[in-house]
Amino acid sequence: MPRTLDGQITMEKTPSYFVTREAPARISAMSKDTKLIVVVRDPVTRAISDYTQTLSKRPDIPTFESLTFKNRTTGLIDTSWSAIQIGIYAKHLEHWLRHFPIGQMLFVSGERLISDPAGELGRVQDFLGLKRIITDKHFYFNKTKGFPCLKKAEGSSKPHCLGKTKGRTHPEIDREVVRLLREFYRPFNLKFYQMTGQDFGWDG
Ligand SMILES: Nc1ncnc2c1ncn2[C@@H]1O[C@H](COP(=O)(O)OS(=O)(=O)O)[C@@H](OP(=O)(O)O)[C@H]1O
């Protein structure tokens, strides 16, 4: 990481940090004051999104339904499948809390990032001690993309949406499989709500 001067904030983003066992100790050894921002979404949708991304690169992989179970008959879920394992947020968070106080972490709702991007970014700016520069004025809803986009990209006068790899159409998943996954995640989600003090609303 580069040295951060007064008045500067250095940011680094990697989706896999949150689920990497060595990451909390390493980041804490680098700087105990690091502020941590985690974007989370409903773990079931997250798993399907993860699968959709892999499928786009390797169209020959087995179905989502078959990868979900160790044993389809007993309904035993394969927690070693990364698409499933990553969504057990409470377990990952436990590792971070051994190295960082919860107040140094901000949990951003992936759902609200879509329904109210300025609201979520307001929380991010407050957490970082920044003035609320990014507001509603900066976003518009793009009907074709089906997502909020920036009215003006940085350094340009043109609107900017995220690329084609963000917001892909998900495949239709067997309803019973989705139900079993919801049941599987429920206790972990409740624990996560308790740990963060935030109800993300994934469980009705
Ligand atoms: N504004 C806007 N435009 C497009 N997409 C948006 C937006 N805000 C959030 N999202 C959601 O971001 C999801 C992809 O982000 P990822 O976290 O998977 O990206 S990363 O590859 O891990 O960096 C992506 O997931 P999928 O819909 O499954 O593709 C989106 O739901």
Side-chain angles (χ1 to χ4, degrees), residues 101-154:
I102 191 89
Q104 229 163 291
M105 303 187 78
L106 179 75
F107 300 89
V108 172
S109 155
E111 286 80 13
R112 283 202 301 271
L113 207 49
I114 296 169
S115 64
D116 177 20
E120 274 317 86
L121 281 162
R123 293 180 64 236
V124 172
Q125 291 168 94
D126 292 349
F127 175 70
L128 295 176
L130 298 172
K131 269 201 279 183
R132 285 197 174 205
I133 302 262
I134 301 165
T135 64
D136 263 335
K137 285 190 289 195
H138 293 86
F139 297 96
Y140 74 101
F141 186 81
N142 183 308
K143 280 192 193 148
T144 319
K145 177 83 182 166
F147 284 94
C149 298
L150 282 172
K151 282 187 189 159
K152 277 187 202 168
E154 184 160 359

Side-chain angles (χ1 to χ4, degrees), residues 55-162:
L55 192 66
S56 74
K57 293 178 195 146
R58 294 171 41 208
D60 55 337
I61 55 168
T63 63
F64 179 89
E65 289 83 348
S66 61
L67 290 166
T68 296
F69 298 100
K70 263 203 175 121
N71 185 325
R72 178 78 204 250
T73 324
T74 61
L76 185 66
I77 294 194
D78 188 352
T79 53
S80 67
W81 182 28
S82 62
I84 303 280
Q85 207 259 334
I86 292 171
I88 309 175
Y89 304 135
K91 290 258 174 240
H92 305 303
L93 181 54
E94 271 171 17
H95 298 132
W96 287 88
L97 293 181
R98 287 186 203 141
H99 299 272
F100 290 94
I102 191 89
Q104 229 163 291
M105 303 187 78
L106 179 75
F107 300 89
V108 172
S109 155
E111 286 80 13
R112 283 202 301 271
L113 207 49
I114 296 169
S115 64
D116 177 20
E120 274 317 86
L121 281 162
R123 293 180 64 236
V124 172
Q125 291 168 94
D126 292 349
F127 175 70
L128 295 176
L130 298 172
K131 269 201 279 183
R132 285 197 174 205
I133 302 262
I134 301 165
T135 64
D136 263 335
K137 285 190 289 195
H138 293 86
F139 297 96
Y140 74 101
F141 186 81
N142 183 308
K143 280 192 193 148
T144 319
K145 177 83 182 166
F147 284 94
C149 298
L150 282 172
K151 282 187 189 159
K152 277 187 202 168
E154 184 160 359
S156 150
S157 56
K158 287 198 208 140
H160 177 74
C161 293
L162 294 183

Side-chain angles (χ1 to χ4, degrees), residues 182-202:
R182 294 218 166 283
E183 208 172 87
F184 165 77
Y185 278 119
R186 199 178 139 74
F188 298 114
N189 287 346
L190 297 183
K191 177 89 193 294
F192 185 65
Y193 301 164
Q194 216 176 52
M195 294 167 90
T196 58
Q198 264 175 267
D199 181 344
F200 289 87
W202 303 319

